[in-house]
Amino acid sequence: MLSVNRLSVHYGPIRALDAASIRIGRGEFVALLGPNGAGKTSLISGIAGLVRAQGRVLFEDREIGALPTEDRVRRGLTMTPEGRHVFANLTVAENLRLGAAIRRDREGVAQDIEKYLGLFPILRERNHQLAGTLSGGEQQMLAIARSMMSRPRLLMLDEPSLGLAPRIVAQMFDYISLLKEAGVTLLVVEQNVMQALKHADRAYVISSGIIRHEGKAEELRSDRRLIDMYLGN
Ligand SMILES: Nc1ncnc2c1ncn2[C@@H]1O[C@H](COP(=O)(O)OP(=O)(O)OP(=O)(O)O)[C@@H](O)[C@H]1O
Ligand SMILES: [Mg+2]
């Protein structure tokens, strides 16, 4: 579904991503793991078109590397940035509608809002509350639900569990797994290595901008050497 070929990202003289290649099959849940500053956000931002990148990005067999972000979203490729980017002064419902800004099918949008309020019942309770007054976990759920409103076929999540209490982290992974069951392909950046490997099908490990390992999540879970070397726990 997605084939990224030798993608590089530079910020001035800093090489954040160095010829990274990854592939994701339809319906897969792939984890992207690595230490702070490894280039995880740079990789998915490059795929989403949020930063300038050299290399090739093929999405459903089409080269999308030159398209603006919005056109990638239209084709079904969406990224939820790190750190709960919700519109604080808009309500939950308004945030969800904004997520569907590129869509013209009003009925479908209304149906999807119902769908995601069903998936995240706490958001239904808070539907008319300003997003800025939600708890961190609730804002994170809203950020994911809002991304889903663009109807992505491939959703990239940047550290969805960041800053959440352990009990909520587990819940977040359960929700993400529900998205997979609903047919969404997932690329998820995570610091919560073991939780991510428990839910993902496959994982990439990146450090210093270079992909170091690719393999089944289950196998990586028991690979002490790799985990000690790159993932530090
Ligand atoms: N806008 C920027 N300007 C300059 N350097 C940047 C910029 N964004 C990232 N970098 C640098 O690029 C490298 C990779 O950063 P990136 O954010 O991709 O890492 P990351 O793996 O997502 O890290 P973290 O786990 O801390 O989120 C880091 O050395 C970082 O300092
Ligand atoms: Mg990051």
Side-chain angles (χ1 to χ4, degrees), residues 24-46:
I24 301 179
R26 194 178 305 280
E28 269 195 307
F29 179 163
V30 176
L32 178 59
L33 310 172
N36 290 124
K40 304 181 295 296
T41 299
S42 300
L43 174 53
I44 62 172
S45 301

Side-chain angles (χ1 to χ4, degrees), residues 1-2 24 59 76-78 152-156 184-187:
M1 185 177 211
L2 180 77
I24 301 179
F59 181 59
L77 178 62
T78 296
R153 288 192 297 283
L154 198 164
L155 179 62
M156 299 185 288
V184 182
T185 305
L186 293 159
L187 177 58

Side-chain angles (χ1 to χ4, degrees), residues 11 14 16 35-42 82 159 191:
Y11 305 104
I14 297 168
N36 290 124
K40 304 181 295 296
T41 299
S42 300
E82 181 186 348
E159 305 211 23
Q191 299 267 354

Side-chain angles (χ1 to χ4, degrees), residues 43-73:
L43 174 53
I44 62 172
S45 301
I47 297 170
L50 293 168
V51 297
R52 200 132 66 116
Q54 289 79 48
R56 279 161 64 82
V57 183
L58 287 174
F59 181 59
E60 295 182 323
D61 296 325
R62 289 213 178 120
E63 172 65 53
I64 59 162
L67 296 180
T69 299
E70 193 184 307
D71 289 350
R72 301 187 201 201
V73 173

Side-chain angles (χ1 to χ4, degrees), residues 29 144 157 160 172-180 186 188:
F29 179 163
I144 294 174
L157 300 172
M172 182 64 68
F173 276 105
D174 288 341
Y175 285 132
I176 294 171
S177 296
L178 285 177
L179 297 180
K180 175 186 152 90
L186 293 159
V188 180

